[in-house]
PDB file of all heavy atoms in Angstrom:
ATOM      1  N   ASP A 165     -32.167  36.293 -43.623  1.00 84.00           N
ATOM      2  CA  ASP A 165     -32.269  34.967 -44.129  1.00 84.00           C
ATOM      3  C   ASP A 165     -31.294  34.748 -45.345  1.00 84.00           C
ATOM      4  O   ASP A 165     -30.798  35.805 -45.837  1.00 84.00           O
ATOM      5  CB  ASP A 165     -33.711  34.671 -44.616  1.00 84.00           C
ATOM      6  CG  ASP A 165     -34.185  33.277 -44.309  1.00 84.00           C
ATOM      7  OD1 ASP A 165     -33.344  32.418 -44.266  1.00 84.00           O
ATOM      8  OD2 ASP A 165     -35.354  33.002 -44.079  1.00 84.00           O
ATOM      9  N   PHE A 168     -31.816  34.088 -52.037  1.00 85.00           N
ATOM     10  CA  PHE A 168     -32.131  33.152 -52.859  1.00 85.00           C
ATOM     11  C   PHE A 168     -32.508  33.587 -54.305  1.00 85.00           C
ATOM     12  O   PHE A 168     -32.736  34.731 -54.474  1.00 85.00           O
ATOM     13  CB  PHE A 168     -33.338  32.178 -52.368  1.00 85.00           C
ATOM     14  CG  PHE A 168     -34.637  32.945 -52.041  1.00 85.00           C
ATOM     15  CD1 PHE A 168     -35.459  33.152 -53.005  1.00 85.00           C
ATOM     16  CD2 PHE A 168     -34.795  33.623 -50.790  1.00 85.00           C
ATOM     17  CE1 PHE A 168     -36.736  33.907 -52.823  1.00 85.00           C
ATOM     18  CE2 PHE A 168     -35.857  34.370 -50.640  1.00 85.00           C
ATOM     19  CZ  PHE A 168     -36.926  34.487 -51.592  1.00 85.00           C
ATOM     20  N   LEU A 170     -34.463  34.205 -57.501  1.00 81.00           N
ATOM     21  CA  LEU A 170     -35.895  34.263 -57.895  1.00 81.00           C
ATOM     22  C   LEU A 170     -36.079  33.833 -59.294  1.00 81.00           C
ATOM     23  O   LEU A 170     -36.713  33.042 -59.685  1.00 81.00           O
ATOM     24  CB  LEU A 170     -36.280  35.808 -57.769  1.00 81.00           C
ATOM     25  CG  LEU A 170     -37.786  35.957 -57.865  1.00 81.00           C
ATOM     26  CD1 LEU A 170     -38.478  35.342 -56.613  1.00 81.00           C
ATOM     27  CD2 LEU A 170     -38.101  37.433 -57.869  1.00 81.00           C
ATOM     28  N   ILE A 226     -32.968  25.798 -63.027  1.00 88.00           N
ATOM     29  CA  ILE A 226     -32.432  24.373 -62.598  1.00 88.00           C
ATOM     30  C   ILE A 226     -33.030  23.341 -63.529  1.00 88.00           C
ATOM     31  O   ILE A 226     -32.505  22.437 -64.125  1.00 88.00           O
ATOM     32  CB  ILE A 226     -32.611  24.120 -61.126  1.00 88.00           C
ATOM     33  CG1 ILE A 226     -31.758  25.029 -60.335  1.00 88.00           C
ATOM     34  CG2 ILE A 226     -32.155  22.655 -60.831  1.00 88.00           C
ATOM     35  CD1 ILE A 226     -31.763  24.816 -58.853  1.00 88.00           C
ATOM     36  N   GLU A 227     -34.431  23.416 -63.528  1.00 89.00           N
ATOM     37  CA  GLU A 227     -35.221  22.396 -64.310  1.00 89.00           C
ATOM     38  C   GLU A 227     -34.961  22.388 -65.691  1.00 89.00           C
ATOM     39  O   GLU A 227     -34.635  21.355 -66.330  1.00 89.00           O
ATOM     40  CB  GLU A 227     -36.728  22.357 -64.012  1.00 89.00           C
ATOM     41  CG  GLU A 227     -36.993  22.139 -62.601  1.00 89.00           C
ATOM     42  CD  GLU A 227     -38.447  22.064 -62.213  1.00 89.00           C
ATOM     43  OE1 GLU A 227     -39.303  21.868 -63.254  1.00 89.00           O
ATOM     44  OE2 GLU A 227     -38.841  22.077 -60.951  1.00 89.00           O
ATOM     45  N   LEU A 230     -31.420  20.904 -66.284  1.00 95.00           N
ATOM     46  CA  LEU A 230     -31.392  19.518 -66.188  1.00 95.00           C
ATOM     47  C   LEU A 230     -32.056  18.777 -67.340  1.00 95.00           C
ATOM     48  O   LEU A 230     -31.602  17.702 -67.897  1.00 95.00           O
ATOM     49  CB  LEU A 230     -32.034  19.022 -64.726  1.00 95.00           C
ATOM     50  CG  LEU A 230     -31.282  19.444 -63.546  1.00 95.00           C
ATOM     51  CD1 LEU A 230     -32.007  18.917 -62.365  1.00 95.00           C
ATOM     52  CD2 LEU A 230     -29.904  18.917 -63.464  1.00 95.00           C
ATOM     53  N   GLU A 231     -33.049  19.343 -67.838  1.00 95.00           N
ATOM     54  CA  GLU A 231     -33.753  18.763 -68.951  1.00 95.00           C
ATOM     55  C   GLU A 231     -32.870  18.902 -70.221  1.00 95.00           C
ATOM     56  O   GLU A 231     -32.771  17.999 -71.121  1.00 95.00           O
ATOM     57  CB  GLU A 231     -35.099  19.520 -69.332  1.00 95.00           C
ATOM     58  CG  GLU A 231     -36.192  19.176 -68.342  1.00 95.00           C
ATOM     59  CD  GLU A 231     -37.442  19.967 -68.539  1.00 95.00           C
ATOM     60  OE1 GLU A 231     -37.609  20.600 -69.632  1.00 95.00           O
ATOM     61  OE2 GLU A 231     -38.238  20.060 -67.593  1.00 95.00           O
ATOM     62  N   LEU A 276     -29.381  14.113 -57.947  1.00 90.00           N
ATOM     63  CA  LEU A 276     -30.113  14.739 -58.991  1.00 90.00           C
ATOM     64  C   LEU A 276     -29.658  14.048 -60.360  1.00 90.00           C
ATOM     65  O   LEU A 276     -30.514  13.787 -61.221  1.00 90.00           O
ATOM     66  CB  LEU A 276     -29.816  16.214 -59.070  1.00 90.00           C
ATOM     67  CG  LEU A 276     -30.276  17.038 -57.877  1.00 90.00           C
ATOM     68  CD1 LEU A 276     -29.996  18.493 -58.030  1.00 90.00           C
ATOM     69  CD2 LEU A 276     -31.817  16.955 -57.558  1.00 90.00           C
ATOM     70  N   SER A 278     -27.022  11.391 -62.884  1.00 97.00           N
ATOM     71  CA  SER A 278     -26.372  10.125 -62.923  1.00 97.00           C
ATOM     72  C   SER A 278     -24.926  10.416 -62.973  1.00 97.00           C
ATOM     73  O   SER A 278     -24.400  11.466 -63.342  1.00 97.00           O
ATOM     74  CB  SER A 278     -26.826   9.314 -64.136  1.00 97.00           C
ATOM     75  OG  SER A 278     -26.267   9.947 -65.224  1.00 97.00           O
ATOM     76  N   THR A 353     -25.018  17.945 -40.565  1.00 91.00           N
ATOM     77  CA  THR A 353     -25.439  19.260 -40.190  1.00 91.00           C
ATOM     78  C   THR A 353     -26.716  19.116 -39.371  1.00 91.00           C
ATOM     79  O   THR A 353     -27.064  20.012 -38.641  1.00 91.00           O
ATOM     80  CB  THR A 353     -25.615  20.174 -41.448  1.00 91.00           C
ATOM     81  OG1 THR A 353     -26.384  19.429 -42.361  1.00 91.00           O
ATOM     82  CG2 THR A 353     -24.315  20.499 -42.082  1.00 91.00           C
ATOM     83  N   ARG A 354     -27.518  18.110 -39.729  1.00 86.00           N
ATOM     84  CA  ARG A 354     -28.731  17.882 -38.968  1.00 86.00           C
ATOM     85  C   ARG A 354     -28.392  17.574 -37.540  1.00 86.00           C
ATOM     86  O   ARG A 354     -29.044  18.077 -36.590  1.00 86.00           O
ATOM     87  CB  ARG A 354     -29.333  16.587 -39.420  1.00 86.00           C
ATOM     88  CG  ARG A 354     -30.559  16.759 -40.238  1.00 86.00           C
ATOM     89  CD  ARG A 354     -31.242  15.437 -40.592  1.00 86.00           C
ATOM     90  NE  ARG A 354     -30.361  14.320 -40.704  1.00 86.00           N
ATOM     91  CZ  ARG A 354     -30.337  13.457 -41.739  1.00 86.00           C
ATOM     92  NH1 ARG A 354     -31.304  13.603 -42.656  1.00 86.00           N
ATOM     93  NH2 ARG A 354     -29.476  12.435 -41.780  1.00 86.00           N
ATOM     94  N   GLU A 358     -29.705  19.688 -34.364  1.00 86.00           N
ATOM     95  CA  GLU A 358     -30.731  19.145 -33.446  1.00 86.00           C
ATOM     96  C   GLU A 358     -30.177  18.314 -32.316  1.00 86.00           C
ATOM     97  O   GLU A 358     -30.867  17.993 -31.391  1.00 86.00           O
ATOM     98  CB  GLU A 358     -31.719  18.178 -34.238  1.00 86.00           C
ATOM     99  CG  GLU A 358     -32.501  18.996 -35.278  1.00 86.00           C
ATOM    100  CD  GLU A 358     -33.572  18.038 -35.906  1.00 86.00           C
ATOM    101  OE1 GLU A 358     -33.019  17.059 -36.362  1.00 86.00           O
ATOM    102  OE2 GLU A 358     -34.671  18.387 -35.767  1.00 86.00           O
TER     103      GLU A 358
ATOM    104  N   VAL B 208     -33.174  12.813 -61.934  1.00 90.00           N
ATOM    105  CA  VAL B 208     -34.074  13.893 -61.961  1.00 90.00           C
ATOM    106  C   VAL B 208     -34.371  14.365 -63.476  1.00 90.00           C
ATOM    107  O   VAL B 208     -35.522  14.583 -63.779  1.00 90.00           O
ATOM    108  CB  VAL B 208     -33.698  15.106 -61.139  1.00 90.00           C
ATOM    109  CG1 VAL B 208     -34.437  16.382 -61.413  1.00 90.00           C
ATOM    110  CG2 VAL B 208     -33.783  14.723 -59.651  1.00 90.00           C
ATOM    111  N   LYS B 216     -43.172  15.888 -68.403  1.00 92.00           N
ATOM    112  CA  LYS B 216     -43.633  16.676 -69.494  1.00 92.00           C
ATOM    113  C   LYS B 216     -44.333  15.848 -70.546  1.00 92.00           C
ATOM    114  O   LYS B 216     -45.446  16.318 -70.999  1.00 92.00           O
ATOM    115  CB  LYS B 216     -42.270  17.230 -70.223  1.00 92.00           C
ATOM    116  CG  LYS B 216     -41.932  18.562 -69.753  1.00 92.00           C
ATOM    117  CD  LYS B 216     -41.114  19.139 -70.786  1.00 92.00           C
ATOM    118  CE  LYS B 216     -40.824  20.788 -70.506  1.00 92.00           C
ATOM    119  NZ  LYS B 216     -39.698  21.277 -71.294  1.00 92.00           N
ATOM    120  N   ILE B 249     -35.626  27.584 -51.818  1.00 62.00           N
ATOM    121  CA  ILE B 249     -36.059  27.689 -53.206  1.00 62.00           C
ATOM    122  C   ILE B 249     -35.872  26.446 -54.081  1.00 62.00           C
ATOM    123  O   ILE B 249     -35.914  26.440 -55.107  1.00 62.00           O
ATOM    124  CB  ILE B 249     -35.456  28.867 -53.786  1.00 62.00           C
ATOM    125  CG1 ILE B 249     -33.908  28.957 -53.511  1.00 62.00           C
ATOM    126  CG2 ILE B 249     -36.057  30.153 -53.275  1.00 62.00           C
ATOM    127  CD1 ILE B 249     -33.241  28.165 -54.597  1.00 62.00           C
ATOM    128  N   ILE B 252     -37.398  21.271 -56.974  1.00 78.00           N
ATOM    129  CA  ILE B 252     -37.509  20.325 -57.976  1.00 78.00           C
ATOM    130  C   ILE B 252     -38.219  18.986 -57.306  1.00 78.00           C
ATOM    131  O   ILE B 252     -39.110  18.434 -57.898  1.00 78.00           O
ATOM    132  CB  ILE B 252     -36.109  19.763 -58.445  1.00 78.00           C
ATOM    133  CG1 ILE B 252     -35.483  20.875 -59.253  1.00 78.00           C
ATOM    134  CG2 ILE B 252     -36.145  18.482 -59.206  1.00 78.00           C
ATOM    135  CD1 ILE B 252     -34.114  20.541 -59.674  1.00 78.00           C
ATOM    136  N   ASN B 255     -41.864  19.539 -56.962  1.00 83.00           N
ATOM    137  CA  ASN B 255     -42.554  19.490 -58.385  1.00 83.00           C
ATOM    138  C   ASN B 255     -42.693  18.052 -58.831  1.00 83.00           C
ATOM    139  O   ASN B 255     -43.601  17.614 -59.456  1.00 83.00           O
ATOM    140  CB  ASN B 255     -41.734  20.355 -59.431  1.00 83.00           C
ATOM    141  CG  ASN B 255     -41.697  21.748 -59.179  1.00 83.00           C
ATOM    142  OD1 ASN B 255     -42.573  22.276 -58.424  1.00 83.00           O
ATOM    143  ND2 ASN B 255     -40.816  22.396 -59.731  1.00 83.00           N
ATOM    144  N   ARG B 273     -42.683  27.494 -53.853  1.00 82.00           N
ATOM    145  CA  ARG B 273     -41.492  27.535 -53.013  1.00 82.00           C
ATOM    146  C   ARG B 273     -41.509  28.741 -52.056  1.00 82.00           C
ATOM    147  O   ARG B 273     -42.154  29.714 -52.439  1.00 82.00           O
ATOM    148  CB  ARG B 273     -40.319  27.376 -53.883  1.00 82.00           C
ATOM    149  CG  ARG B 273     -40.157  28.603 -54.930  1.00 82.00           C
ATOM    150  CD  ARG B 273     -38.995  28.291 -55.857  1.00 82.00           C
ATOM    151  NE  ARG B 273     -38.867  29.519 -56.544  1.00 82.00           N
ATOM    152  CZ  ARG B 273     -37.895  29.705 -57.487  1.00 82.00           C
ATOM    153  NH1 ARG B 273     -37.041  28.668 -57.864  1.00 82.00           N
ATOM    154  NH2 ARG B 273     -37.721  30.758 -58.195  1.00 82.00           N
ATOM    155  N   ASN B 274     -40.521  28.774 -51.135  1.00 81.00           N
ATOM    156  CA  ASN B 274     -40.398  30.045 -50.265  1.00 81.00           C
ATOM    157  C   ASN B 274     -41.862  30.484 -49.654  1.00 81.00           C
ATOM    158  O   ASN B 274     -42.162  31.623 -49.751  1.00 81.00           O
ATOM    159  CB  ASN B 274     -39.762  31.088 -51.135  1.00 81.00           C
ATOM    160  CG  ASN B 274     -39.451  32.321 -50.329  1.00 81.00           C
ATOM    161  OD1 ASN B 274     -38.950  32.117 -49.169  1.00 81.00           O
ATOM    162  ND2 ASN B 274     -39.642  33.523 -50.812  1.00 81.00           N
ATOM    163  N   THR B 298     -30.929  22.153 -44.322  1.00 69.00           N
ATOM    164  CA  THR B 298     -30.990  21.979 -42.846  1.00 69.00           C
ATOM    165  C   THR B 298     -31.370  23.356 -42.218  1.00 69.00           C
ATOM    166  O   THR B 298     -32.017  23.398 -41.066  1.00 69.00           O
ATOM    167  CB  THR B 298     -29.621  21.491 -42.186  1.00 69.00           C
ATOM    168  OG1 THR B 298     -28.647  22.283 -42.890  1.00 69.00           O
ATOM    169  CG2 THR B 298     -29.495  20.159 -42.511  1.00 69.00           C
ATOM    170  N   ARG B 303     -38.529  25.163 -39.845  1.00 87.00           N
ATOM    171  CA  ARG B 303     -39.741  25.747 -40.161  1.00 87.00           C
ATOM    172  C   ARG B 303     -40.845  24.903 -40.434  1.00 87.00           C
ATOM    173  O   ARG B 303     -42.118  25.227 -40.462  1.00 87.00           O
ATOM    174  CB  ARG B 303     -39.642  26.721 -41.457  1.00 87.00           C
ATOM    175  CG  ARG B 303     -38.769  27.858 -40.989  1.00 87.00           C
ATOM    176  CD  ARG B 303     -38.593  29.000 -42.005  1.00 87.00           C
ATOM    177  NE  ARG B 303     -37.514  29.746 -41.696  1.00 87.00           N
ATOM    178  CZ  ARG B 303     -36.592  30.388 -42.144  1.00 87.00           C
ATOM    179  NH1 ARG B 303     -36.567  30.389 -43.477  1.00 87.00           N
ATOM    180  NH2 ARG B 303     -35.609  31.015 -41.597  1.00 87.00           N
ATOM    181  N   PRO B 328     -32.702  16.441 -46.513  1.00 74.00           N
ATOM    182  CA  PRO B 328     -32.120  16.188 -45.045  1.00 74.00           C
ATOM    183  C   PRO B 328     -33.153  15.658 -44.108  1.00 74.00           C
ATOM    184  O   PRO B 328     -32.773  15.377 -42.896  1.00 74.00           O
ATOM    185  CB  PRO B 328     -31.729  17.619 -44.699  1.00 74.00           C
ATOM    186  CG  PRO B 328     -32.659  18.539 -45.405  1.00 74.00           C
ATOM    187  CD  PRO B 328     -33.062  17.796 -46.728  1.00 74.00           C
ATOM    188  N   THR B 330     -35.533  13.118 -42.036  1.00 84.00           N
ATOM    189  CA  THR B 330     -35.583  11.702 -41.737  1.00 84.00           C
ATOM    190  C   THR B 330     -36.956  11.390 -41.046  1.00 84.00           C
ATOM    191  O   THR B 330     -37.661  12.331 -40.712  1.00 84.00           O
ATOM    192  CB  THR B 330     -34.451  11.382 -40.699  1.00 84.00           C
ATOM    193  OG1 THR B 330     -34.686  12.119 -39.483  1.00 84.00           O
ATOM    194  CG2 THR B 330     -33.151  11.630 -41.218  1.00 84.00           C
ATOM    195  N   PHE B 333     -36.914  12.898 -37.638  1.00 87.00           N
ATOM    196  CA  PHE B 333     -37.314  14.303 -37.589  1.00 87.00           C
ATOM    197  C   PHE B 333     -38.864  14.549 -37.762  1.00 87.00           C
ATOM    198  O   PHE B 333     -39.371  15.351 -37.063  1.00 87.00           O
ATOM    199  CB  PHE B 333     -36.516  14.970 -38.886  1.00 87.00           C
ATOM    200  CG  PHE B 333     -36.910  16.530 -38.976  1.00 87.00           C
ATOM    201  CD1 PHE B 333     -36.363  17.527 -38.110  1.00 87.00           C
ATOM    202  CD2 PHE B 333     -37.893  16.783 -39.932  1.00 87.00           C
ATOM    203  CE1 PHE B 333     -36.752  18.785 -38.232  1.00 87.00           C
ATOM    204  CE2 PHE B 333     -38.249  18.168 -40.027  1.00 87.00           C
ATOM    205  CZ  PHE B 333     -37.608  19.078 -39.190  1.00 87.00           C
TER     206      PHE B 333
END
Side-chain angles (χ1 to χ4, degrees):
Chain A
D165 220 328
F168 60 89
L170 193 68
I226 297 181
E227 293 187 17
L230 291 179
E231 286 173 16
L276 301 176
S278 69
T353 49
R354 254 187 326 228
E358 298 186 301
Chain B
V208 169
K216 268 199 167 165
I249 47 86
I252 292 181
N255 293 344
R273 57 190 189 178
N274 188 36
T298 45
R303 287 186 195 148
T330 58
F333 174 82

